[in-house]
Each structure stands twice: as C-alpha cells, then as structure tokens.
Amino acid sequence: MFIDYITLMLINMVAGLFLLADYVYRGIDSSNQRQWIPGFGITGAIALTTGLHMSFTWPVMGSFNIAFGETSVLFGILFVAAAVSLAQGWDLLTIAVYGFFAGAVAIVVGIRIINLNLTKQPLLSGIGFILTGLGGILAAPTLYWKSNRTWRLIGVAVLIIAALIWALTGYLSYWNHLEGFQKWVPAPMRQ
C-alpha cells in the first residue's frame, strides 16, 4: 500500500532545525538546559518512528526511501539522544561525534540528489540536505567553541537556512499532495 508521509518528516525536520538553531543561539551555554528536552524529544520521536518505518517497509517509490528514511533515522536518534542527555545532565560530545557521521551521510545524499536529478526540485532538496548535514558536521566544533559567539551565529545561520529550505519544500508538498491524493484510494478499497 502506498503511503507518503515525507511531508510530515519534512515539517518535523523544520521544527527540529529551528529548535536546534535556538539551542545553539541561546541554549548551549544556558544554565537551564532542560527547556529544550520536550522539543528535542518530540522531533526525535517523530523522525525516528517515520524513518524506521520508511527504511523497513519502503512505502514510497525508489531511492526516496533511502534518502528520506535512513537520514530521518539518523536525525531522529540524534534528537532523542540529545533530549535524554539534557534530561540526565550528560555531556553532548559523543552525540556531536555521531552527528558528524550522520551529517556526512546527509551531505552525500544531497550531492547525489543533485547528481541524479531526484525530487521535483533537486537543487533545492540537495542544498537542504547539504546544509542540514553541515549542521551535524559542525556540532562538535560548536560545542568546543561554544563561547565563540561568531562561530555560533554561523551555525545558527546554516541551520535556519536549511530549515527554511525544508519549510518551503514541505509546505508546498502539503499543498500539492492534498490535490494530488484527493481521489486516491488504498488497494483493498478499490473496486
């Protein structure tokens, strides 16, 4: 049965990237780390759940399951781990190291989307993946240089630009999916 919830995954990523940008901007050196726990947890839960489902069942056509499903698993587990770590008062360094490798995957996927001309807007999607991946790659240096306000502002800018790209993509997809799927019927209900 065809199920397309990439729109949900995109808007969840938008929320997560904006929350992460806020954390980098005003939370990374805050004495109140706990205020980001619910947002990171919600983002992580949705990304991990939808990503695992997509990776295991391949509900959409072709390599989109890899590009969106597997990267969503990586994105989701990072946010879940960040929420748990903030709740427990643990250091975020090992999560940032994991973020480096997850970010590298997102960059590879972004380059390959552009290269293979995947999605309706491959350049925009590719740049979105690349910038999101840069966020992961720059996580550990950002923790190390958290007192450097300029460095953090660069990180915030990268995250916000990525979030805006995904917001444009996601909201336009919702707009188009509502029209395109308005008469779609699951196979068991077709006559």
Side-chain angles (χ1 to χ4, degrees), residues 4-8 10-11 68 119-121 125 165-181:
D4 187 352
Y5 45 80
I6 292 175
T7 47
L8 169 65
L10 291 172
I11 299 308
F68 290 96
T119 76
K120 289 185 179 180
Q121 297 178 324
S125 296
I165 288 170
W166 293 126
L168 176 66
T169 305
Y171 288 116
L172 284 176
S173 293
Y174 267 114
W175 184 264
N176 293 326
H177 283 189
L178 288 172
E179 179 183 5
F181 289 103

Side-chain angles (χ1 to χ4, degrees), residues 95-117:
I95 297 167
V97 170
Y98 187 92
F100 173 87
F101 294 100
V105 168
I107 290 171
V108 168
V109 168
I111 292 168
R112 195 64 172 148
I113 284 173
I114 294 167
N115 175 261
L116 293 174
N117 205 32

Side-chain angles (χ1 to χ4, degrees), residues 97-160:
V97 170
Y98 187 92
F100 173 87
F101 294 100
V105 168
I107 290 171
V108 168
V109 168
I111 292 168
R112 195 64 172 148
I113 284 173
I114 294 167
N115 175 261
L116 293 174
N117 205 32
L118 296 174
T119 76
K120 289 185 179 180
Q121 297 178 324
L123 184 60
L124 191 63
S125 296
I127 292 170
F129 271 104
I130 291 166
L131 291 176
T132 303
L134 278 175
I137 285 179
L138 298 176
T142 301
L143 283 174
Y144 183 75
W145 290 317
K146 66 182 172 185
S147 61
N148 184 328
R149 193 80 171 145
T150 303
W151 178 260
R152 285 174 33 203
L153 288 173
I154 291 168
V156 167
V158 167
L159 293 169
I160 288 175

Side-chain angles (χ1 to χ4, degrees), residues 24-163:
V24 170
Y25 181 71
R26 64 184 185 98
I28 201 167
D29 57 358
S30 170
S31 60
N32 183 12
Q33 297 285 299
R34 299 179 66 83
Q35 64 183 324
W36 282 273
I37 295 169
F40 286 175
I42 291 167
T43 300
I46 292 172
L48 185 58
T49 303
T50 56
L52 284 171
H53 183 267
M54 182 171 280
S55 295
F56 292 149
T57 65
W58 280 57
V60 295
M61 295 174 12
S63 58
F64 293 104
N65 297 285
I66 298 167
F68 290 96
E70 293 181 16
T71 57
S72 186
V73 170
L74 296 172
F75 184 81
I77 199 65
L78 282 165
F79 273 77
V80 167
V84 171
S85 295
L86 291 176
Q88 296 298 318
W90 297 338
D91 192 303
L92 297 173
L93 181 60
T94 57
I95 297 167
V97 170
Y98 187 92
F100 173 87
F101 294 100
V105 168
I107 290 171
V108 168
V109 168
I111 292 168
R112 195 64 172 148
I113 284 173
I114 294 167
N115 175 261
L116 293 174
N117 205 32
L118 296 174
T119 76
K120 289 185 179 180
Q121 297 178 324
L123 184 60
L124 191 63
S125 296
I127 292 170
F129 271 104
I130 291 166
L131 291 176
T132 303
L134 278 175
I137 285 179
L138 298 176
T142 301
L143 283 174
Y144 183 75
W145 290 317
K146 66 182 172 185
S147 61
N148 184 328
R149 193 80 171 145
T150 303
W151 178 260
R152 285 174 33 203
L153 288 173
I154 291 168
V156 167
V158 167
L159 293 169
I160 288 175
I161 293 168

